[in-house]
Amino acid sequence: MFPAAFDYLRAHSIEEAAAALSQHGGDARILAGGQSLIPAMRFRLARPTVLVDIGSLRDLVYLREESGFLRVGAMTTDARLERDKDVRARYALLTETSDVVADPVVRHKGTVVGSLCHNDPAGDWAAAALASRAIMVVRGPSGERDVPIDEFIVDSFTTAVQEGEIAVEVRFPTPSARTSGAYEKIERKVGDYATAAAAVQLTLADDGTIAQAGVAITALGPFAMRVTEAERLLLGQRPSEDLFRAAAEEAYRLADPNPDTRGSAEYKKNMARILVARGLARTSSKLHA
Amino acid sequence: MTKQRVELNVNGEIHEIQVEPRKLLAYALRDECGLTGTHVGCDSSSCGCCVVVLDGETPVKSCTMFAVQAEGHDITTVEGLAQGGQLHPLQQGFWDQHGLQCGYCTPGMLMTSYAMLKEYPEPTEEDVRKFLSGNLCRCTGYNNIVKAVLQAAKALGAEKSEPETTAADD
Amino acid sequence: MSITPDPQKHALGVSMKRKEDPRFLQGKGRYVDDINLPGQLYMAIVHSPYPHAKINSIDKEPALAVPGVKAVITGEDLVAAGLGWLPTFHGFDKQMVLAVGKALFQYQEVAAVFATSREAAMDGAELVEIDYEPLDPVVSPHEAAKDEVVIRSDREKSTNHIYHWDVGHKDETQRALEAAEKVVKQRIVFQRCHPAPLEPCGCVAEFDTMGRLHFYVTSQAPHVYRTALALVTGIPEDKIHVVSPDIGGGFGNKVPVYPGYVCAVVGSLLLKKPVKWIETRTENLTTTGFARDYHMDVEIGAKADGTVTALRVKTVADHGAFDAAADPTKYPAGMFGIVTGSYQFPVAYAELDAYFTNKAPGGVAYRCSFRVTEASYAIERAMDILADELDMDPVELRKKNFVRKDQFPYQSALGFTYDSGDYHSTLDKALERIGYDDLLREQAEKRARGELMGIGFSTFTEVVGAGPSKHFDILGIKMFDSAEIRIHPTGSGVVRAGTKSQGQGHETTWAQIVAEELGLDPQNIMVEEGDTDTAPYGLGTYASRSTPVAGAAISLAARRIREKARKIAAHLLEASPEDVEWTDYKFQIKGVPTRSVTMKDVAFAAYTNPGDNEPGLEASYYYDPPNMTFPHGTYVAVVDVDRHTGETKVRRFLAVDDCGTVINPMVVEGQIHGGLTEGYAIAFMQEITYDESGNNLNPNFIDYLVPTSLEAPKWETDNTVTPSPHHPIGAKGVGESPNVGSPAAFVNAVMDALSPLGVRHVDMPLTREKVWRAIQEAEARRAISAD
């Protein structure tokens, strides 16, 4: 299958890209990794008339720790993050997520920021970003703004990025030493979107109680969701099986999945409970190892 | 829709082609450059028959990329693997281990493996299975493909340990 | 690791590296889409979005306005040209090439667009305006049986019922079931799935200046295509040249003739340009031959000690909108009669009713010899259910009922004559290799801890090698196969066969057969297939028939050459032919090894010094097999099931196959690996499902699941060898055994894992959700009974 025709613009700067988006309005789309957009165009589910390619903006390719954040540029691929030694050493949740996004070849072209902007209801990065309290950096005609991931995710396939704006970076807070996380995903096979998935990140205080908790689920509602009630339950408590079970129950309560070829609503909802419980248990055991 | 001039550097050779921006790289290679070793088996970026390697190290699904995007990159396709009439150790491994049957997925399998071995010269069986999991095969059941890649890794390792080759690599 | 055989020793039974591989490895294979003819146009097809709809009008104009679009054809155009309908290989029906009046399934072909580029053809296809009036769809065969909505208005009888078929002894079976001490009954559904070769179907059609059609096509049976095209189009058969170049997998999907092929030929004729049509993956999955879709009610009667006394199977088959099953047997349900399996059923009865539904047509074999997989799965599942109800070890139950080695040739209750087999030895070998006793101990320990571990067996018997002309034909053509061999003066040669490899390695294995028969170097025996101008007429490659039928033809053609060569050898040795014997891969005067000549010597003499003999050294053979061959095997799966998510891990899988004489062990093992992976996919992942409105829910590789290297288990293989007594080299065919035999082993293993919970049967595919649901329901039942 072949996309409908479009005009192609290769941007040489973010400003140029933003200007092109402003000029062409809703008919224009940013082409970053293209791993969601191009298949959608081949099926003619997406028909942008203008593609603004930011692929040659090398200054958007970076992955570095700076002032308490892991800063990931808009053209940084999943594979780059997957392979980064520092990420693998200290960002447990991101590591586990990057191992199961799409498939290993697609990860060489797909980008983390692009996935967050695509905001598929079953996207993996959105859950990981929620659980780790990421911040999106969005640039537009009036400059740059930071958007917490909770505000960035607006609805299925809809984000806080406005016309003429471009998301240029995602920032993941650098975890403290006593932080770990886990990503639990049920997929029908490698390369599939999640049937259900859960992202978990916990930070322990010196006394062994939970100082920070991030719990998010994906493919279990119209978009990836933070399980606020679970996080509230976990805070200040000592990790225990009972505590995790109660937190997982909150994920079950929150989950409101659509039935589709990946599973019934009932199955997915039940898996929310299992996956959150497993993610919490594994995170806890990593912290106590 | 207007065509535009695109210059593709494929296996060290420059191909000047005129294509619409919507021309997928896989079809540009096949129909415009005459390099039909790169195959297409699906429309959803699922099968990996079309994998080519960019800039000597990055495997990409060439059906999920436009030809215009590939300008400025070095592209390696399956036709560029064998050198001087000698099969690449990967090709030899697939032959020795019966890692192919109908041959349709083979170019993609070879190119993904090629990129993997550049990055991870000593993979375990589990590594190979993980790296190839974006490439589908309907014939072999993968077991012999995995063996083939492990054989090639060994052969490439042995090549590397010969001082002459090491110097050439540097 | 494979080696090159020494031509002075055996060429058979050697893991010779494949001769075809260097071109595939270097991207130099020549598949249909690699063929580009000057000035060629591209075709795209317009599909019905509705499963059942009246077509009020079709407006081509918006499509014709697209730059590059040259023509649009519709069903009415084809009907006007007398090309509206295709014959189906099943022989009970015909299929619309493009929908006329009504669309009968979602994605049915409605119009074809021809343009100067692939992209423009698709742009045009998008713009053909069709006014549909949706009608009520019939999605289930059980609904179809009610005839409330009759789908096919073109047929004489106003019913969705296609046919009733039965075999065996109805009344005796009924009596035996009534008298049985134990009867088990189970509805077993073999879901609709799809062979989905990685290369989609496609063709390039060109009429040359002499008016001759050159047709390059992804076909497993090029000669049959030539005849079918002649019949459909009226073009004389000598004016049709069909070429199957390299084929990227077939698995049965590339046996039928599809509407797109006819449209491409028509477009080429109309526009006087070559036309290329390459399916999209969606077209492949939604319009070309699916497989299975059998709903089987299986009953076994047995004595209390487990001795089986009767088998009855009643099947409802969903054939979709046309009866386009690629089934060349004279029996509507193909070789379903193998359903008695490896067991001595004194009496059996099978009946089947097939129905039209508003779904894609097909019913091709997916690596299966015409309904053998359905039959094999049914009996192997049912035997496990019987074992479970009798509280017997499924292995013991099988051993008790196996046809014994000394009973072959064995006449089954449903009429097959099994050629040879040794079921007990194959099973014993499997039990030893898998370590059954240790596994049982481990399972007992795990069960005590509440863990779900299962061991599943399948001890299947297949029937392949279609087939004896009294039972098989396609469009009336008998199911023989053929070979022509020419030996050149310097002792190399060429063999041409009516088969067509799609990855099976014929270029290597056919050379090995010739080399074995003639004492020549297999490296210098070229194999040609797939070109109807050069290859002898054959029925093609599917249903594991190449080795049993064409392999036999090759062997016998070679022996004809040997007989002629003996005369030339006698001339060279100055002896009479009766005194010359073929021994140790050379001719010698009987009992005098020092006086000998090689085949190479004879080949040269055939062209330089033949004596009184006709010069040259070539022969052909058309082989009509006297019987089918009956490969068998024992497969064992070991699984762990996660009770919380329903996920199944296949921890081990052992396949012990018996396909008779092995030509190339490496190639055979490769076939088994591939088939097992397909069996795994069917057992756990693959299904073509339709929603209640008749929408196809698996129209791409996102939702039709092909396992990757991470899902595919590691395969362990072994074999026993029981040659076929009637095949010239004793070979039986192997391509399908792993697909036929393995689904039952997987499902039996999962059901064994769930048996402590009281789960009896779950239909494939065993997705996490289905297994999870079965566990939930079982636990709910237990909770109720505990109250």
Side-chain angles (χ1 to χ4, degrees), chain A residues 1-8 10 31-35 38-39 41-44 51 53 58 82-83 88 99 103-109 189-191, chain B residues 1 4 20-22 24 27 40 42-46 51 57-61 63-66 68-71 112 119-120 130-136:
Chain A
M1 293 187 182
F2 309 97
F6 57 84
D7 284 325
Y8 172 82
R10 186 183 280 216
L31 176 62
Q35 299 303 285
I38 295 175
M41 289 173 69
R42 291 186 71 188
F43 284 99
R44 301 200 172 186
L51 276 193
D53 183 3
R58 305 312 294 167
E82 182 188 5
R83 281 160 175 71
R88 292 200 87 82
D99 281 342
D103 72 49
V105 180
V106 168
R107 291 202 286 273
H108 277 92
K109 201 111 185 70
K189 57 169 278 194
V190 171
Chain B
M1 200 41 86
Q4 65 186 73
E20 289 183 74
R22 61 169 159 168
L24 298 163
Y27 288 95
V40 179
C42 72
D43 312 303
S44 51
S45 209
S46 306
V51 172
E57 57 182 13
T58 308
V60 296
K61 293 188 173 175
C63 78
T64 313
M65 182 170 180
F66 297 111
V68 285
Q69 290 177 279
E71 222 172 18
T112 301
E119 197 181 354
Y120 300 94
K130 182 183 164 183
F131 269 92
L132 291 180
S133 60
N135 290 71
L136 300 180

Side-chain angles (χ1 to χ4, degrees), chain A residues 84-107:
Chain A
D84 190 89
K85 286 200 175 65
D86 292 333
V87 171
R88 292 200 87 82
R90 291 192 291 120
Y91 293 79
L93 171 57
L94 301 189
T95 300
E96 289 197 5
T97 308
S98 68
D99 281 342
V100 296
V101 172
D103 72 49
V105 180
V106 168
R107 291 202 286 273

Side-chain angles (χ1 to χ4, degrees), chain C residues 346-561:
Chain C
V347 63
Y349 178 67
E351 64 178 326
L352 176 140
D353 289 279
Y355 295 94
F356 291 119
T357 58
N358 288 116
K359 294 170 168 171
V364 300
Y366 173 4
R367 208 174 187 133
C368 156
S369 188
F370 318 120
R371 308 300 185 183
V372 174
T373 310
E374 290 91 323
S376 180
Y377 177 66
I379 185 63
E380 289 301 315
R381 267 303 292 136
M383 287 299 275
D384 256 40
I385 291 168
L386 176 64
D388 191 43
E389 294 214 356
L390 290 169
D391 209 15
M392 267 181 91
D393 184 322
V395 170
E396 288 315 307
L397 181 75
R398 285 172 163 82
K399 280 186 174 173
K400 190 180 215 38
N401 290 293
F402 271 160
V403 176
R404 293 188 317 273
K405 190 180 176 182
D406 59 17
Q407 289 175 293
F408 292 95
Y410 175 79
Q411 182 81 27
S412 82
L414 293 180
F416 284 115
T417 306
Y418 294 14
D419 59 345
S420 63
D422 185 356
Y423 303 153
H424 286 93
S425 296
T426 309
L427 173 59
D428 287 342
K429 192 166 195 176
L431 292 174
E432 198 192 318
R433 262 205 65 169
I434 200 84
Y436 188 43
D437 294 339
D438 290 342
L439 286 172
L440 285 174
R441 262 193 298 280
E442 184 193 347
Q443 185 183 45
E445 289 164 19
K446 285 197 160 170
R447 281 185 176 167
R449 294 199 297 267
E451 293 171 34
L452 303 175
M453 168 186 164
I455 311 163
F457 287 84
S458 168
T459 54
F460 62 95
T461 291
E462 264 204 286
V463 48
V464 306
S469 54
K470 57 185 182 291
H471 296 140
F472 296 89
D473 68 64
I474 294 180
L475 306 171
I477 298 160
K478 304 301 183 188
M479 294 281 290
F480 57 81
D481 227 292
S482 58
E484 272 178 21
I485 302 174
R486 291 181 191 175
I487 303 301
H488 309 318
T490 52
S492 64
V494 57
V495 52
R496 299 192 173 95
T499 44
K500 177 60 210 172
S501 180
Q502 315 118 44
Q504 292 89 339
H506 292 173
E507 286 173 55
T508 306
T509 49
W510 289 172
Q512 283 180 272
I513 294 177
V514 174
E516 174 75 18
E517 295 287 356
L518 300 182
L520 294 171
D521 185 348
Q523 296 297 343
N524 295 325
I525 304 295
M526 186 171 85
V527 176
E528 278 189 10
E529 296 181 317
D531 185 326
T532 57
D533 276 5
T534 55
Y537 203 105
L539 276 285
T541 292
Y542 40 88
S544 282
R545 65 185 299 279
S546 293
T547 295
V549 192
I554 291 164
S555 188
L556 293 173
R559 288 178 195 180
R560 277 188 174 156
I561 285 186

Side-chain angles (χ1 to χ4, degrees), chain C residues 10 12 20 28 112-113 138 158 183 239 269 316 364 378 465 486 490 512 536 548 559 561 582 603 675 723 737:
Chain C
H10 294 289
L12 275 191
E20 47 268 76
K28 300 296 183 192
V113 177
V138 181
S158 182
V183 175
K239 298 284 188 296
L269 192 61
V316 169
V364 300
R486 291 181 191 175
T490 52
Q512 283 180 272
R559 288 178 195 180
I561 285 186
W582 175 253
S737 293

Side-chain angles (χ1 to χ4, degrees), chain B residues 66-89:
Chain B
F66 297 111
V68 285
Q69 290 177 279
E71 222 172 18
H73 294 281
D74 292 341
I75 303 163
T76 310
T77 69
V78 68
E79 289 92 343
L81 272 189
Q83 294 293 329
Q86 287 286 305
L87 292 183
H88 186 277

